[in-house]
Amino acid sequence: QGDVEHMVILAGWLLFGEQNGVERDTSKGYYWCKLAADQDDVVANAYLGYCLIRGLGVEPDWEDGYELLVEVASQDLNAVGRGKWRHFFA
């Protein structure tokens, strides 16, 4: 276990690259997404769904990725304490 919010930030840097001197590495990005998602983080689950659909760091799995994104979209982000991430889903 660790600081989930920072895991998600690192995952984003790795998945999308070139932020704060971090080069893109989708395999590592997926790893950190999965670690945070395993702790039920809503943003990590959104990233994980995106990874699955696009095949970033993992074999593409459109059905599971779509299912995760639908689940995330149905959550009240303010209720789960991640309202500041609302722009990610807009």
Side-chain angles (χ1 to χ4, degrees):
Q1 297 224 359
D3 186 334
V4 176
E5 188 170 348
H6 288 104
M7 288 179 195
V8 173
I9 291 168
L10 179 58
W13 290 345
L14 290 163
L15 289 171
F16 306 113
E18 299 300 322
Q19 295 181 3
N20 297 319
V22 177
E23 290 187 34
R24 187 173 190 201
D25 185 330
T26 57
S27 294
K28 288 181 182 177
Y30 176 80
Y31 167 82
W32 286 106
C33 268
K34 182 79 171 104
L35 204 61
D38 287 345
Q39 296 182 48
D40 296 323
D41 184 84
V42 66
V43 176
N45 276 308
Y47 279 167
L48 196 61
Y50 181 77
C51 287
L52 288 167
I53 288 172
R54 299 290 307 258
L56 299 176
V58 67
E59 285 293 315
D61 186 337
W62 195 88
E63 286 184 33
D64 285 349
Y66 179 79
E67 189 175 304
L68 271 173
L69 291 177
V70 168
E71 180 183 319
V72 167
S74 71
Q75 294 182 32
D76 179 353
L77 297 180
N78 290 316
V80 294
R82 299 302 289 268
K84 66 183 177 181
W85 292 90
R86 184 168 297 282
H87 68 278
F88 181 81
F89 306 103

